[in-house]
């Protein structure tokens, strides 16, 4: 009697056995509907067995094995099993999460007839590509030269031509009949990027995958990947679970980005899972970033040379200390830059893109020591002068403050009351624009009290500074300037966000006040000054990744200034000017 072992979406770390007389090995990886309690559920068959540890008489029979789409491959099941083990999540919850909602429910999207693109694929790519820079060329060759599993870190600032390198590497994979998977952060999956990939591979079948897509489209993309029709899958973290029978290359762009880590349910890191998958498939994986995560940077830094007779620990590395791949430093033309000599593992290969592809100077960064200065509403004389100068020249400035609201807390100085959240351990942030106190952690909100709830004092004081307060101050200080605030409150919908971006691009704003929303992926040709205020808080935050994230944000926000013909300047206000983070 055949028995199928089914992974069901239940918070129980076990499989469920059902009788399925007509099943065979080819049903492993198929979806199956089964009775469960009074209800019916859909799961995935992960094994076929001849006997169950439960007596046969007690087993129920499957309702139906769904044979309307190809079985999920063994590699996909292995990936889910790894995640179940590693992230301590029942396998059924993992398989369920890894399937698009429609397939998870046992349904199937209407499949369009394969279009004519099958006939033209792999189609020739556009000709007339710009010649690669030497560092790009070296990176492309290093990736092409990889045989089997190898992790490469493409390290270069925004605009240094990383995407160009990914596209060349993907091109080579398509030419060989393979499939490529490119993971990007949530915020980076834009129509522009899709357009750039599609324009480069006009005949190729490209599938996008992200949680914002309509159910049917996502399920269709999944099936196209599974059947091998899709050649390139471009997606956010969940795309790491796309079944790809001919997968030959994985790219993780902005590998440090926090959105690759899911913070609820299956708490996976798509970057790490992607590396595991590449290892399992014995294929190369390229991680790209201007500000790699510390883990990645550590693995891409050389191992210290082993102490040798006649030498000491500080002697130069041998260049061949890697256990996990080709020797570091063996690829011609790649500069490793000045790396700390100690501490790395040398497991990844570092590929540096040291300059911007389109010649532009990097902005000048200046640290402003605010310890000895009386600030005006939080702004130093140097920053105020910088803003004034940009106004006179008709250029744009950005004041970066990664804290929305008016003030991070409302306080009663006489009695010591502060606005704490009733529902969690965070403080309530003062939003003066609509007279609310809001918890940015759990979402609780309430009206601003007229008087102190503890002592009745009516002189409650906002403590600290958020974007709304900074905006109010700048409006007062520079009455002739058009001040625009960009944060999650002012850009609460995609439509409002697009409108704000359009205003900036049209040159209809002089001073931008913004949070990290503004840091990524936008070119503002008129922007020549970035002022950073309130960054010190991240140095001492409870989250151990806060300084690392601050560094990435400063690099990104700094990169916003002076990207076109006008040179850029970055002024960072700090009370810790000698802190290694600012020095770096
Ligand atoms: P990144 O991904 O590092 O931000 P991109 O690959 O997007 O960099 O390159 C930045 C810009 O430079 C793009 O407009 C791209 O088309 C252009 N570019 C990249 N490589 C070259 C090259 N070798 N020659 C000329 N332009 C290039
Ligand atoms: Zn709260
Ligand atoms: Zn009080």
């Amino acid at each position: 009697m055949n028995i199928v072992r089914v992974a069901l979406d239940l918070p129980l770390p076990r499989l469920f056995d059902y009788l399925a007389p007509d099943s065979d090995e080819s049903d492993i990886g198929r979806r199956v509907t089964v009775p469960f309690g009074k209800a019916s559920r859909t799961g995935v068959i992960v094994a076929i067995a001849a006997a169950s540890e439960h007596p046969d008489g007690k087993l129920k029979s499957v309702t139906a094995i769904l044979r309307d789409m190809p079985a999920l491959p063994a590699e996909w099941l292995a990936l889910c099993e790894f995640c179940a083990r590693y992230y301590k999540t029942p396998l059924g919850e993992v398989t369920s999460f890894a399937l698009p909602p429609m397939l998870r429910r046992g349904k199937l999207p209407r499949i369009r007839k394969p279009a004519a693109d099958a006939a033209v694929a792999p189609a020739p790519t556009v000709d007339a590509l710009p010649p690669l820079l030497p560092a790009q060329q070296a990176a492309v060759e290093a990736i092409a030269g990889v045989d089997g599993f190898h992790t490469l870190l493409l390290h270069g600032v925004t605009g240094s031509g990383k995407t160009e390198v990914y596209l060349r590497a993907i091109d080579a994979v398509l030419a060989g009949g393979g499939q490529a998977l490119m993971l990007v952060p949530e915020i980076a999956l834009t129509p522009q990027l899709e357009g750039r990939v599609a324009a480069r591979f006009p005949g190729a079948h490209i599938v996008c995958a992200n949680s914002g897509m309509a159910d049917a489209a996502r399920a269709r993309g999944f099936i196209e990947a599974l059947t091998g029709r899709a050649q390139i899958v471009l997606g956010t973290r969940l795309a790491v679970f796309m079944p790809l029978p001919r997968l030959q290359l994985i790219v993780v762009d902005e590998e440090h980005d926090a959105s690759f880590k899911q913070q609820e349910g299956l708490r996976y890191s798509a970057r790490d899972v992607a590396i595991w998958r590449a290892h399992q498939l014995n294929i190369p994986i390229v991680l790209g970033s201007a500000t790699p995560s510390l883990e990645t940077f550590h693995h891409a830094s050389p191992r210290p040379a082993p102490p040798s007779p006649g030498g000491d620990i500080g002697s130069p590395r041998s260049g061949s200390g890697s256990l996990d791949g080709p020797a570091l430093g063996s690829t011609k033309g790649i500069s490793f830059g000045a790396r700390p000599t100690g501490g790395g593992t040398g497991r990844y290969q570092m590929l540096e893109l040291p300059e911007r592809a389109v010649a532009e100077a990097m902005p000048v960064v200046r640290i402003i020591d605010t310890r000895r200065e009386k600030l005006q509403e939080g702004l130093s004389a140097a920053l105020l002068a910088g803003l004034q100068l940009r106004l006179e020249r008709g250029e744009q400035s950005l004041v970066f403050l990664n804290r929305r609201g008016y003030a991070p807390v409302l306080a009663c100085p006489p009695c010591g009351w502060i606005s704490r959240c009733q529902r969690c351990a965070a403080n309530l942030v003062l939003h003066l624009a609509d007279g609310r106190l809001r918890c940015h952690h759990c979402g609780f909100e309430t009206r601003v009290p007229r008087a102190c709830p503890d002592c009745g004092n009516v002189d409650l004081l906002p403590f600290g500074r958020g974007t709304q307060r900074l905006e109010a101050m700048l409006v007062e200080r520079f009455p002739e300037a058009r001040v625009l605030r960009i944060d999650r409150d002012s850009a609460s919908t995609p439509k409002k966000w697009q409108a704000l971006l359009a205003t900036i691009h049209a040159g209809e704003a002089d001073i931008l006040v913004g949070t990290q929303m503004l840091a990524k992926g936008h070119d503002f040709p008129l922007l020549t000054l970035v002022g950073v205020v309130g960054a010190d808080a991240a140095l001492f935050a409870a989250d151990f990744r806060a300084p690392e994230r601050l560094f990435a944000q400063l690099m990104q926000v700094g990169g916003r200034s002076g990207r076109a013909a006008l040179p850029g300047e970055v002024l960072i206000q700090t009370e810790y000017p000698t802190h290694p983070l600012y020095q770096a």
Side-chain angles (χ1 to χ4, degrees), residues 242-288:
M242 290 288 262
L244 292 154
R246 302 190 315 277
L247 184 58
Q248 284 176 15
L249 174 72
I250 306 180
V251 171
V252 184
D253 189 29
E254 311 278 1
E255 65 84 29
H256 64 279
D257 194 276
S259 76
F260 285 123
K261 177 73 169 67
Q262 176 145 301
Q263 301 288 14
E264 60 200 18
L266 178 64
R267 293 169 171 258
Y268 70 108
S269 152
R271 191 253 337 262
D272 295 352
V273 171
I275 294 173
W276 188 87
R277 195 174 181 188
H279 179 263
Q280 192 73 356
L281 287 171
N282 203 28
I283 59 169
I285 175 165
V286 179
L287 312 178

Side-chain angles (χ1 to χ4, degrees), residues 421 423-426 439 441-444:
C421 180
R423 267 200 340 216
C424 75
C439 177
H441 189 68
C442 74
F444 175 80

Side-chain angles (χ1 to χ4, degrees), residues 538-581:
L539 299 178
F540 309 105
D543 181 349
F544 74 98
R545 285 189 203 280
E548 188 180 336
R549 249 190 329 261
L550 172 62
F551 184 73
Q553 280 168 1
L554 293 182
M555 290 292 285
Q556 280 166 348
V557 85
R560 292 307 112 218
S561 82
R563 300 206 70 206
L566 304 167
E569 188 179 22
V570 180
L571 302 177
I572 302 177
Q573 292 190 177
T574 173
E575 295 186 15
Y576 302 87
T578 59
H579 192 286
L581 186 145

